[in-house]
Structures are given as structure tokens and as C-alpha cells.
């Protein structure tokens, strides 16, 4: 092989890697999170975020903490961009120091409220992009946590809560047990 043939082959490999990464990124759910020092509204940001609902049509949700610090979640198994959706209403009404919004593209299980993010348990709110080994994590959970839906994200949320409760400290529980999940799901 001559040098120009090798260069062309390498260029094709790089182009395929870039295209593969682009396709992967565009097929993921979208997540928007904000922590502020005072209550804010995200109407401007959420207006733009809503457009991601076109490529992520399997549900949307928003989580926030009210003025008394109580966790609130509203979610629908509809595209955020659909006319039937209440997205525009919540886009204008929610004000908080902490806001989490999510638009879902189902990779497992279909469109349902139970599979739509964010998830709430007690005063915790959680949304997630990515994949974890649902069955492995489910096997580690105590009976205290019962997933409503079929997503790996909800099971992972309950696993994190289990770890926090077991350790008695959010940072220590998350740090130690997240490492255990990675090791268990992917091997040492």
C-alpha cells in the first residue's frame, strides 16, 4: 500500500468515528439542570429546550423544589413539542432554585408516565441520560424501593437512594456505591 492509500483509509476511519459519535449524541435523551442562588424561572431556556422534544418524543418532565423546599414533579408521556402537552404551562409557572427538565427518547420500554423522567422519591428528584445494567442493580436493591416503570434510570435512582441511606451521607454513599455498580456491571 502506498502512503496516500493509507491516509485515505485513516481519514475514512476518522470520519466514521465522528459520524458514529454524532449519531449517538443525537439519539440521546436531553437533560437540563439549574441550581441558582435565588428562585429563577427558565422560560427562555425551556422554550429552546422544548425543541429537543421533536427528536425525543417519548415523554417530558420537570422537577423542582417549591418555596418550602418540597420536591415537585410533573411529567407526561407525550412529546414536549405536542399541542396536547402541558409543557408550555409549566415552562411559564415553575420558579425555583433547583430545576431539572428532561425530554425522553425511549431506548427500552414504550411511552408511559412511569418511564418518563424525572423520578421523585421522598424529597429527592432524579433524571438520567445513559445506560446502566438494570437487572444487576435491581438485584442489589432492598425491598424498600419498588420501581414503578421499566427503565434502568429509575432503578439506578433507587440504587443511589439505597446507598445514601446505607451510608448515612449523600456524598459518601454515592461515591462508594457508584464504583461498585460500575465494577459489577462491567467487571473489574
Amino acid at each position: 500500500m502506498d502512503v496516500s492509500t493509507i491516509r485515505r483509509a485513516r481519514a475514512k476511519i476518522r470520519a466514521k468515528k465522528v459520524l458514529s459519535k454524532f449519531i449517538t449524541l443525537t439519539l440521546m435523551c436531553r437533560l437540563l439542570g439549574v441550581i441558582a442562588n435565588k428562585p429563577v424561572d427558565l422560560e427562555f431556556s425551556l422554550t429552546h429546550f422544548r425543541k429537543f422534544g421533536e427528536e425525543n418524543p417519548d415523554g417530558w418532565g420537570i422537577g423542582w423544589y417549591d418555596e418550602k423546599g418540597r420536591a415537585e414533579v410533573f411529567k407526561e408521556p407525550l412529546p414536549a413539542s405536542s399541542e396536547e402537552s402541558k409543557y408550555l404551562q409549566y415552562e411559564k409557572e415553575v420558579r425555583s432554585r433547583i430545576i431539572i427538565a428532561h425530554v425522553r427518547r425511549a431506548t427500552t420500554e414504550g411511552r408511559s408516565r412511569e418511564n418518563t423522567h424525572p423520578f421523585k422519591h421522598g424529597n429527592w428528584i432524579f433524571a438520567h441520560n445513559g445506560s446502566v445494567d438494570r437487572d444487576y442493580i435491581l438485584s442489589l436493591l432492598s425491598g424498600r424501593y419498588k420501581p414503578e416503570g421499566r427503565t434502568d434510570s429509575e432503578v439506578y435512582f433507587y440504587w443511589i437512594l439505597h446507598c445514601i441511606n446505607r451510608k448515612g451521607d449523600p456524598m459518601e454513599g454515592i461515591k462508594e456505591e457508584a464504583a461498585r455498580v460500575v465494577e459489577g456491571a462491567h467487571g473489574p
Side-chain angles (χ1 to χ4, degrees):
M1 258 196 244
D2 65 359
V3 174
S4 64
T5 304
I6 293 170
R7 285 185 183 148
R8 281 194 304 274
R10 287 182 180 162
K12 282 182 181 179
I13 291 169
R14 281 193 304 273
K16 284 181 181 179
K17 285 180 181 178
V18 169
L19 182 59
S20 174
K21 188 172 186 175
F22 175 76
I23 289 169
T24 300
L25 289 174
T26 59
L27 295 179
M28 287 185 70
C29 300
R30 298 295 183 190
L31 180 64
L32 173 66
V34 173
I35 297 176
N37 62 354
K38 62 181 181 179
V40 296
D41 72 65
L42 292 180
E43 186 173 352
F44 176 78
S45 297
L46 289 172
T47 296
H48 295 285
F49 188 71
R50 181 177 187 240
K51 294 175 186 168
F52 287 120
E54 294 168 9
E55 295 96 34
N56 299 280
D58 298 315
W60 72 274
I62 187 166
W64 71 98
Y65 290 88
D66 69 15
E67 63 279 348
K68 293 182 180 174
R70 293 179 300 226
E72 301 285 343
V73 168
F74 183 84
K75 54 189 181 176
E76 295 180 303
L78 298 169
S81 55
S82 79
E83 294 298 319
E84 301 84 36
S85 169
K86 293 185 179 177
Y87 187 94
L88 293 175
Q89 173 188 340
Y90 281 86
E91 168 188 285
K92 291 175 176 52
E93 291 178 6
V94 171
R95 280 186 65 77
S96 181
R97 291 182 57 239
I98 300 172
I99 301 172
I100 299 171
H102 188 274
V103 290
R104 181 170 186 258
R105 180 181 188 93
T107 53
T108 61
E109 302 304 320
R111 195 183 278 185
S112 73
R113 186 178 189 291
E114 294 80 19
N115 291 333
T116 303
H117 305 218
F119 303 102
K120 176 185 161 192
H121 185 82
N123 211 41
W124 293 91
I125 299 171
F126 181 82
H128 170 255
N129 283 356
S131 297
V132 295
D133 186 335
R134 183 184 190 280
D135 294 334
Y136 173 73
I137 296 171
L138 196 55
S139 74
L140 300 174
L141 281 177
S142 67
R144 177 179 181 180
Y145 300 103
K146 304 263 191 246
E148 293 177 23
R150 299 276 312 143
T151 67
D152 60 338
S153 296
E154 184 184 20
V155 171
Y156 190 51
F157 174 41
Y158 286 143
W159 173 247
I160 291 170
L161 292 177
H162 168 86
C163 297
I164 290 168
N165 287 327
R166 200 180 93 209
K167 284 292 190 182
D169 175 78
M171 291 308 293
E172 288 306 309
I174 291 168
K175 198 171 15 177
E176 182 178 319
E177 300 305 333
R180 180 176 171 195
V181 167
V182 170
E183 182 178 311
H186 304 291

